[in-house]
Amino acid sequence: MQIEVVKSKIHRVKVTGADLNYIGSITIDEDLMDAANIIQGEKVQIVNNNNGERLETYVIPGPRGSGELTLNGAAARKVAVGDILILITYARMDIEEAKKFKPALVFPNEATNLLN
């Protein structure tokens, strides 16, 4: 049997942009992606602490060291610049592997979205 567990989490990052006319996705500073073991195109769950919205989309890399966190396309309607989000990815694995697995938990600077 396989179960789905938290693979990584970027906790409390601030939205820096919302681009309704972009084709879709979330743009994340590539340094944050690396720290959380998230790859380009990976599905991510987005939890908005300001309004309670929860949605899923895929990740595209933003410039390293920029602190960029931009919601693109329809997802841009679910946030406002300055909202605080939690980003979560999941992985499927067997139960024994899951018992030993340690997710990547990232707590960036909330004001800048940069790693401390």
Side-chain angles (χ1 to χ4, degrees):
M1 175 181 7
Q2 292 206 323
I3 61 171
E4 198 167 351
V5 298
V6 173
K7 177 184 147 274
S8 58
K9 178 167 100 167
I10 302 175
H11 191 73
R12 297 187 62 83
V13 287
K14 188 183 331 181
V15 175
T16 62
D19 187 353
L20 183 62
N21 295 313
Y22 190 81
I23 200 164
S25 69
I26 182 172
T27 305
I28 303 172
D29 178 326
E30 202 164 0
D31 286 341
L32 291 174
M33 289 175 59
D34 288 349
N37 195 25
I38 296 172
I39 63 168
Q40 181 174 343
E42 186 168 357
K43 181 168 105 173
V44 63
Q45 180 181 43
I46 301 165
V47 180
N48 187 327
N49 283 2
N50 291 79
N51 63 20
E53 290 281 355
R54 296 174 82 95
L55 63 116
E56 294 177 341
T57 190
Y58 63 93
V59 175
I60 59 173
R64 287 187 182 281
S66 66
E68 181 177 357
L69 190 82
T70 301
L71 277 290
N72 302 304
R77 293 201 182 272
K78 304 288 187 179
V79 301
V81 172
D83 281 359
I84 301 297
L85 309 181
I86 298 170
L87 311 178
I88 309 163
T89 64
Y90 299 89
R92 287 188 184 93
M93 56 190 73
D94 67 55
I95 289 177
E96 292 309 311
E97 182 182 8
K99 288 177 182 178
K100 298 172 189 161
F101 181 76
K102 302 290 183 226
L105 305 176
V106 179
F107 300 90
N109 180 307
E110 200 171 314
T112 64
N113 290 346
L114 301 177
L115 298 172
N116 294 327

